[in-house]
Amino acid sequence: MEATVGLLFLLIGVSYGVETFCDARQDGAQCLGTWGGTVFVKLMDQASGAPRIDWMKGATSILRWRNNAIVTNTIMSRSEFIPNNGTFRINNLRNSDSGKYTLKLFDLEGKEKETRNLQLSIEGQSPLRVGAISALVFYSILLLVCVIIICVQSKKQKCKEKLNADLTYVDVRVMQQQGRKSVKQNMEEEVEYSQIKTAG
Ligand SMILES: *[C@@H]1O[C@H](CO)[C@@H](O)[C@H](O)[C@H]1NC(C)=O
């Protein structure tokens, strides 16, 4: 049982950790991200020395850089701007991150020096994630079949209880997979579930 749970965590972890890179130092860059994954967008070689940088998504300001410091990052909770290599990293990508982004660079006099657009597209579910869900369903069925075989062979009342417990466990896992949740939430729920299981 522990091995199965460990394997599931491994699969879920792999399916969430998809990272993509995008070089947006040229106007009109096309960037791809994976739902739930991370995208590294290289906006410029480095930010230090640039007096003013604005990065917008449509009309919404995402990043504002003034005099070698980040003044605003409106999606700070799941992103980071790395000034050393001019890279903007966005984690936990969602469909609403798709769209046109505009970078504006200004010179020392405050005049607009350069404007660059990029298109970010977020792909639905990663093939890895789909693979992980398929594996989860496969192992759940395998687990059930094993339990049923053991039950038929030993015909003990105790087995029936175990089967019920496993069915509930599988239900919870599949439901968690269907809801689109972060690894953290999954972990928390797993912990809560374990606690209930131990208590009950
Ligand atoms: C920029 O630096 C960060 C942190 O050191 C690193 O994780 C990232 O891969 C770098 N990105 C590029 C495009 O070099």
Side-chain angles (χ1 to χ4, degrees), residues 54-63 100-104:
D54 282 330
W55 199 41
M56 327 256 294
K57 180 180 189 290
T60 314
S61 172
I62 304 268
L63 174 77
K100 188 177 148 190
Y101 291 75
T102 307
L103 179 74
K104 288 183 176 186

Side-chain angles (χ1 to χ4, degrees), residues 70-91:
I70 297 161
V71 177
T72 323
N73 176 358
T74 48
I75 50 169
M76 205 161 76
S77 60
R78 58 189 183 93
S79 75
E80 189 193 1
F81 181 58
I82 305 139
N84 281 344
N85 58 18
T87 303
F88 197 89
R89 188 196 72 218
I90 309 173
N91 302 324

Side-chain angles (χ1 to χ4, degrees), residues 97-154:
D97 292 325
S98 294
K100 188 177 148 190
Y101 291 75
T102 307
L103 179 74
K104 288 183 176 186
L105 302 171
F106 297 82
D107 65 15
L108 278 166
E109 280 84 48
K111 271 197 210 145
E112 215 176 292
K113 198 171 70 176
E114 204 182 335
T115 301
R116 273 187 257 144
N117 292 311
L118 77 88
Q119 184 74 38
L120 177 63
S121 310
I122 308 301
E123 290 175 335
Q125 298 214 344
S126 75
L128 273 169
R129 191 177 145 86
V130 173
I133 293 170
S134 311
L136 176 70
V137 172
F138 173 77
Y139 278 104
S140 303
I141 293 167
L142 197 70
L143 183 74
L144 271 181
V145 170
C146 288
V147 172
I148 289 166
I149 290 170
I150 294 166
C151 278
V152 168
Q153 283 178 346
S154 64

